[in-house]
Amino acid sequence: MKFLALASLIAVACQPAYGLWPQPKSAETGTTTLKLSPVFTITVSGPGVPNDVWDAVFRTEAALNKDKLGRLVVGRGSSDTASFAKAKTLSKLTLSLEKGAKWTSITSEAQKAPEDRDEAYQLTIPSDGSAATLTANSTLGLYRGLTTFGQLWYEHSGTTYTVDAPVKIADAPAYPYRGFMLDTARNYFPVADIKRTLNAMSMVKLNQFHWHVVDSQSFPLEIPGFTDLAAKGAYEPSKIYTPDDVKDIVDYAGARGIDVMVEIDTPGHTAIIAEAHPEYIACPGATPWATYANEPPAGQLRFADAHVTKYIGDLFSSATKMFPSTMFSTGGDELNTNCYGIDEPTQANLNSTGRTLEQALDDFTQSTHKVLEDSGKTPVVWEEMVLAHNVTLSVDTKVLVWISSANVKAVAESGHKLIHAASDYFYLDCGHGAWVGDFPTGNSWCDPFKSWQLSYSFDPVANLTADEAKLVLGGQHLLWTEQSSSENLDDTVWPRAASSAELFWTGPGGNVSTALPRLHDVAYRMRQRGIKAIALQPEWCALRPGVCDLTA
C-alpha cells in the first residue's frame, strides 16, 4: 500500500477511494475489483439490537440498490467492466459491538453531550469475497461505519462494485461537534426540507443540527403553554412546527446520528413576541429600524422587567421538554441598546431598581439559564455574551464564535468551550447581494461568497495555546435565510457544507486539490439520493481530476 501523510498526521491511502468523505483517520485501500452480490445482506451480531440500528441497516441496503452512481471517470466506469469477470463477490457485511459494549439506540448515543459521543469504528472488506466486518464500541460508531461502507460502491451495466478492495479503515472524528445551522424564521421550511437536510448531513457524518427556529420576523414554533406565540407570530397557520412535527424531526435526526439543538434567541431578535404580548417588548416597530435593530422589525424583550424574565424562564422550561439534547441555545447576540434608551418602561424599571442595563441583563441571563440548568441543559450562547457584555455564565456554557474568526482567541481566553461558526469562513448566505429594499448598489454585509475551499482551509486552533485548543468542540456551517427558501435550500448548502464536515472530522491540513474529486463524488451521490447539490465544475472537469486546476 502507498500512503499519503496529511498535515494532521492522519494516514490515508495515496490514491484513496474518491467517495470517502470525510477522509478516515486511517485507511488502507487496494486496487482490486470486488462485486456486490445481488443478494448481499447486512447482518447484526448480538442480542437486543435496537430498532433504529435495523432501520439504518435497511436504509444502507436500499441505498446500495438505488444509488446506481457511475464512477466519476471518463466513460463513467465503462473501462471497469473488463475486470468484472474475474472479480470476487461480496455477499455479507457483519456488524458487531466490541466486547463489553452495550446495545443502545443510535438516537440515545447521538443525543449525548458532544464530549460523550463515541463515533469510532473499524471496517474491513477483504478482496477475496469473504465477509466484510464492521465493529465499534457504540451503535453510533456502527452507523458512521455504515455511512463509509456505502460510499465505496458504484454501478455499471447492472453490477455494483468497488475498485478499491481490500479496504481496512480505523476511523474516529477529530472533533465531537460537527454541525449545520438552519434559520427557519426569516423564511419557513417544511418538515420535508428539514428531513432532506438531515439526510444530507448524515451522508457526511455531521452530527449536530442547530435549529434557529424563531426570530424577530416569525415565531413558527408551537410550545405547549405558549401556543399564542405561534398562533399570532407564524406567517400563516400552515407554517407552524407543532410538537408532533418537532418530535418527528428530533426522532428522524436521532436515527441518523444527529442531535437537534434548538435556539430561542433572547433578549434580542424577539420583536415578533409583541404580536401576542406587546407589553413584553421594548421599542416595537420603532423606525428607522436600522437605528434600533440589526434587521427589521425593531423590538426586544424588556428583560429588566421581572415578569418578562419569569415568562421567558417558563417558556424555556416548556421548550426543554420538546428537545432531548443536552444543549439549548439562548442566543444573546446583537442586542441594540438604542432600543432601551427610548423605551420608557425599561428606563423606569432601571431607575426604580437602581440597576444599569448590563446589571439587568446579568439578572435576566442568570435567571433564565438557571431554568435550563435545572432542567439538565447546558446553555449555548453567541460570542457577545462573553465579549460584549458583563454577564455571569456558568463554566459549562458553550460559546458560538460568529462575528469573526479573529475573536476565537478572546473567547478561548475566557475558559469556555467554543464552537466555530465564524461568518468569514462558514456563513453560506454571504455574497448574494443586499436583501434590503431601495439599495441597488448594496452587497451582503459579509461579502464575499464563502467557497468550500475557504472553509476547508480553516485552522480550528490557529493562534491558540495547547490548553486553549482543548476548548474547541468543533464547528458548523450556517444558513441565515433572508434570501433562502425551499426553492434554493439544497444548492445553497450542498456540497459546500460538506467541507466543514471533513474539516472537523478529519482535522485541518487537507489538500484542496485532492479533496475536490472526492467532493464531486459527494455531490453526485447526493443528487442520486434526491438532494439537489450544486455542481462545483463542468462535468468534463469532474471526470478528469486535476486537469482543470489553474496550474494544470
Side-chain angles (χ1 to χ4, degrees):
M1 301 291 179
K2 298 181 290 184
F3 295 91
L4 170 69
L6 295 178
S8 56
L9 300 182
I10 293 168
V12 292
C14 195
Q15 293 180 339
Y18 281 147
L20 294 184
W21 192 284
Q23 278 199 95
K25 182 177 182 180
S26 172
E28 300 175 19
T29 59
T31 57
T32 300
T33 299
L34 179 67
K35 297 183 294 185
L36 202 65
S37 170
V39 292
F40 170 81
T41 58
I42 300 174
T43 63
V44 186
S45 175
V49 178
N51 289 337
D52 63 3
V53 174
W54 284 117
D55 290 343
V57 165
F58 299 149
R59 289 198 307 273
T60 301
E61 291 175 337
L64 290 168
N65 288 323
K66 295 178 181 178
D67 275 358
K68 300 188 184 305
L69 178 65
R71 223 162 48 91
L72 294 186
V73 293
V74 176
R76 298 306 300 272
S78 59
S79 61
D80 298 331
T81 58
S83 66
F84 290 172
K86 295 183 179 180
K88 300 295 184 181
T89 301
L90 179 66
S91 298
K92 184 170 69 172
L93 168 66
T94 300
L95 276 58
S96 62
L97 290 180
E98 300 286 359
K99 185 177 180 180
K102 295 181 179 180
W103 286 99
T104 56
S105 68
I106 296 169
T107 298
S108 64
E109 294 293 327
Q111 291 173 351
K112 290 181 176 179
E115 302 93 323
D116 296 332
R117 299 170 191 162
D118 185 349
E119 300 176 271
Y121 66 92
Q122 299 80 41
L123 174 65
T124 300
I125 306 174
S127 59
D128 61 3
S130 57
T133 60
L134 172 60
T135 60
N137 285 316
S138 73
T139 55
L140 185 57
L142 291 178
Y143 184 73
R144 301 301 180 217
L146 281 174
T147 300
T148 296
F149 182 83
Q151 292 176 338
L152 290 163
W153 304 93
Y154 301 93
E155 190 271 345
H156 197 282
S157 302
T159 297
T160 300
Y161 68 100
T162 182
V163 294
D164 298 302
V167 177
K168 186 176 181 180
I169 293 173
D171 201 8
Y175 294 95
Y177 184 110
R178 305 175 309 281
F180 169 67
M181 191 218 77
L182 180 64
D183 159 26
T184 61
R186 270 67 180 216
N187 282 302
Y188 174 86
F189 293 83
V191 171
D193 286 347
I194 295 175
K195 286 184 173 181
R196 192 175 64 256
T197 300
L198 293 168
N199 289 341
M201 290 174 64
S202 72
M203 289 180 67
V204 291
K205 301 185 176 72
L206 291 175
N207 67 357
Q208 195 69 52
F209 178 51
H210 173 183
W211 192 358
H212 186 92
V213 63
V214 299
D215 209 290
S216 282
Q217 291 80 8
S218 76
F219 201 107
L221 179 64
E222 185 177 85
I223 301 173
F226 300 84
T227 56
D228 56 340
L229 294 176
K232 297 183 178 181
Y235 288 124
E236 56 184 274
S238 65
K239 295 181 177 180
I240 289 175
Y241 302 108
T242 67
D244 286 344
D245 291 332
V246 170
K247 185 179 187 306
D248 188 19
I249 290 167
V250 168
D251 290 348
Y252 192 91
R256 286 153 183 78
I258 300 168
D259 181 43
V260 179
M261 177 181 73
V262 69
E263 179 184 349
I264 299 179
D265 201 350
T266 60
H269 293 272
T270 48
I272 195 65
I273 291 176
E275 298 298 322
H277 293 280
E279 71 276 16
Y280 292 164
I281 299 299
C283 74
T287 57
W289 64 261
T291 299
Y292 302 107
N294 283 59
E295 289 189 6
Q300 301 176 144
L301 285 172
R302 285 177 172 146
F303 58 79
D305 185 333
H307 296 290
V308 174
T309 298
K310 183 180 185 306
Y311 177 83
I312 295 300
D314 291 344
L315 183 150
F316 282 178
S317 180
S318 182
T320 61
K321 298 176 178 64
M322 303 172 70
F323 297 91
S325 176
T326 64
M327 298 179 291
F328 189 110
S329 177
T330 63
D333 61 316
E334 297 183 329
L335 195 62
N336 187 299
T337 57
N338 292 335
C339 173
Y340 297 110
I342 66 166
D343 188 64
E344 293 182 3
T346 295
Q347 292 303 313
N349 189 294
L350 294 177
N351 290 333
S352 66
T353 59
R355 295 178 298 171
T356 65
L357 191 65
E358 283 293 305
Q359 289 170 332
L361 178 62
D362 186 31
D363 291 341
F364 172 85
T365 302
Q366 289 194 59
S367 179
T368 55
H369 280 201
K370 185 177 186 302
V371 170
L372 296 178
E373 290 159 352
D374 288 348
S375 300
K377 306 296 186 184
T378 299
V380 179
V381 298
W382 297 107
E383 66 179 75
E384 292 99 315
M385 296 301 280
V386 171
L387 302 183
H389 299 293
N390 185 24
V391 297
T392 304
L393 300 173
S394 68
V395 67
D396 293 328
T397 302
K398 296 173 171 63
V399 182
L400 291 152
V401 182
W402 73 275
I403 295 175
S404 171
S405 57
N407 296 341
V408 170
K409 178 72 171 178
V411 172
E413 288 174 343
S414 75
H416 289 283
K417 291 183 178 179
L418 64 92
I419 298 160
H420 288 293
S423 60
D424 49 334
Y425 281 89
F426 300 116
Y427 271 31
L428 294 166
D429 55 305
C430 303
H432 293 287
W435 59 268
V436 295
D438 194 24
F439 194 21
T441 62
N443 295 314
S444 63
W445 74 271
C446 54
D447 268 6
F449 181 88
K450 306 299 185 280
S451 69
W452 76 267
Q453 296 100 319
L454 178 68
S455 53
Y456 192 76
S457 69
F458 181 73
D459 182 357
V461 296
N463 303 316
L464 300 183
T465 66
D467 286 340
E468 290 168 349
K470 295 175 184 177
L471 298 172
V472 177
L473 286 174
Q476 63 185 32
H477 267 92
L478 308 90
L479 180 59
W480 302 103
T481 60
E482 289 89 349
Q483 293 178 293
S484 294
S485 60
S486 293
E487 288 70 23
N488 69 337
L489 173 62
D490 290 7
D491 58 69
T492 301
V493 178
W494 306 110
R496 274 196 293 162
S499 60
S500 63
E502 177 154 300
L503 169 68
F504 293 112
W505 178 283
T506 309
N511 183 288
V512 169
S513 294
T514 57
L516 178 57
R518 293 184 297 107
L519 193 56
H520 277 308
D521 203 283
V522 170
Y524 275 70
R525 196 175 295 274
M526 282 184 170
R527 290 195 284 272
Q528 293 298 102
R529 298 187 186 182
I531 299 151
K532 296 180 181 180
I534 198 170
L536 297 172
Q537 288 182 314
E539 187 160 321
W540 190 90
C541 303
L543 303 182
R544 297 166 175 82
V547 172
C548 294
D549 287 358
L550 183 62
T551 56

